[in-house]
Amino acid sequence: MAEQNFPTGNLMKGKRGLIMGVANKNSIAWAIARQLAAQGAEIAFTYQGEALLRRVGPLAESVGSDILVECDVTNDETMDSTFATLKEKWGKIDFLVHAIAFAGKDQLAGSFIDQTTREGFKSALDISAYSFVDAAKRASEIMNDDGAMVTLTYLGSERVIPNYNVMGVAKAALEACTRYIAADLGPRGIRVNAISAGPIKTLAAAGIGSGRHMFKFNKAASAMQDNTDPLGVAGAALYLLSDLGLSCTGETHHVDGGFHAIGMPQEGPLKEAICD
Ligand code: NAD
């Protein structure tokens, strides 16, 4: 992704917000950060642990951010300190991006009923769905009344995707949480939406079994016969987080080259993707 690909402007000028979920330059959250920064947003970042600071630190600096807080969403103390830091430095925020998910690698290959354990289920739902409820509650306490929130989901919530397993269940919960949070915060004018992105090569995607086949199949079977461009996901986030998204809330917006819209894919490209 070249810098000039992110349209510049003032759509986010005067808006400040938190982006949770940048691990490296391939993270979807990073594409969103670059797009929001290109439109004038001031951004604070969280990073998951010391090991990731080495990568996230320089990225945050490159978009002029000076708020970088360590946060593990399973640890209440780090959640407390993240939002206390924002309150202390900024007082109020205008947006939240939640781009966090996790399931153990053992849960993400093979049969759903055989692989899903109680602990694996609890941890996937805690990190990938509950964390949005928790972050949204904390963010709403310091959010201006015309603020907005976005989370990242995937089609595995609506349909069975091989190996996605418990993460599909977590994403279904996340999308339901999005609607409930939207209803709670709607009267204040705060909008809450989910972006359902097609497969993108990131650290998280690498944890899912048969990833290579997934990309080939998505390319062949989507309406656009192409993989999802992170730029499109970032553009959707800009729309939903800026005033352009007025009146849009509780929505799960697909940015996947139209993969979700297809009932029966074209035979030619699909044959190649399946037989290879
Ligand atoms: P990524 O690996 O770059 O980002 C995942 C992030 O989750 C990382 O920054 C990681 O540090 C964070 N995380 C995991 N456990 C955490 C914890 N306990 N505390 C705090 N942070 C934690 O991968 P990505 O693909 O950019 O994922 C971002 C979001 O997009 C996820 O919700 C993912 O499910 C979703 N998504 C990804 C794709 C895809 O194909 N890559 C498609 C649709 C949706």
Side-chain angles (χ1 to χ4, degrees), residues 15-274:
K15 292 190 192 289
R16 292 169 156 169
L18 175 65
I19 298 191
M20 308 177 81
V22 177
N24 57 37
K25 65 178 175 42
N26 299 319
S27 295
I28 295 174
W30 177 238
I32 294 173
R34 288 176 71 187
Q35 179 57 90
L36 297 181
Q39 291 285 340
E42 273 184 80
I43 303 170
F45 292 89
T46 57
Y47 62 95
Q48 192 189 351
E50 275 307 307
L52 288 182
L53 179 59
R54 203 164 43 91
R55 295 195 191 282
V56 184
L59 294 177
E61 207 181 309
S62 73
V63 290
S65 172
D66 59 358
I67 307 182
L68 185 57
V69 193
E70 182 169 358
C71 182
D72 185 318
V73 294
T74 62
N75 178 331
D76 286 337
E77 276 171 31
T78 63
M79 287 292 278
D80 289 345
S81 61
T82 296
F83 288 91
T85 303
L86 290 178
K87 191 173 179 182
E88 184 195 316
K89 300 240 183 194
W90 283 344
K92 291 281 188 182
I93 62 171
D94 302 286
F95 64 88
L96 169 72
V97 174
H98 171 275
I100 287 175
F102 176 81
K105 212 165 172 153
D106 57 318
Q107 311 284 299
L108 297 174
S111 116
F112 172 64
I113 47 173
D114 289 341
Q115 293 306 119
T116 307
T117 61
R118 187 189 301 271
E119 277 317 305
F121 189 97
K122 283 203 293 199
S123 146
L125 271 283
D126 181 19
I127 296 173
S128 316
Y130 174 72
S131 68
F132 185 45
V133 182
D134 191 17
K137 178 172 163 43
R138 293 167 187 272
S140 70
E141 287 163 5
I142 53 168
M143 189 169 275
N144 285 314
D145 280 354
D146 58 351
M149 305 182 184
V150 155
T151 187
L152 270 299
T153 185
Y154 175 58
L155 190 70
S157 61
E158 303 167 55
R159 307 209 212 138
V160 173
I161 304 287
N163 301 315
Y164 202 62
N165 295 355
V166 70
M167 189 54 82
V169 178
K171 291 301 193 192
L174 178 68
E175 290 168 23
C177 290
T178 301
R179 292 185 284 273
Y180 278 90
I181 299 167
D184 278 349
L185 301 181
R188 279 184 51 196
I190 296 176
R191 296 176 297 99
V192 186
N193 293 287
I195 297 174
S196 186
I200 292 172
K201 286 182 181 154
T202 63
L203 263 187
I208 301 159
S210 72
R212 195 173 154 266
H213 174 65
M214 193 168 168
F215 286 104
K216 285 195 83 168
F217 186 89
N218 271 265
K219 182 168 179 173
S222 69
M224 299 185 77
Q225 297 192 356
D226 207 351
N227 278 309
T228 298
D229 193 324
L231 209 64
V233 179
L238 171 63
Y239 152 64
L240 292 169
L241 294 172
S242 71
D243 296 343
L244 290 179
L246 261 182
S247 295
C248 179
T249 196
E251 177 74 350
T252 298
H253 175 57
H254 294 86
V255 181
D256 62 357
F259 183 88
H260 71 284
I262 299 296
M264 183 167 167
Q266 295 292 331
E267 195 181 346
L270 190 64
K271 226 184 230 168
E272 263 174 53
I274 290 173

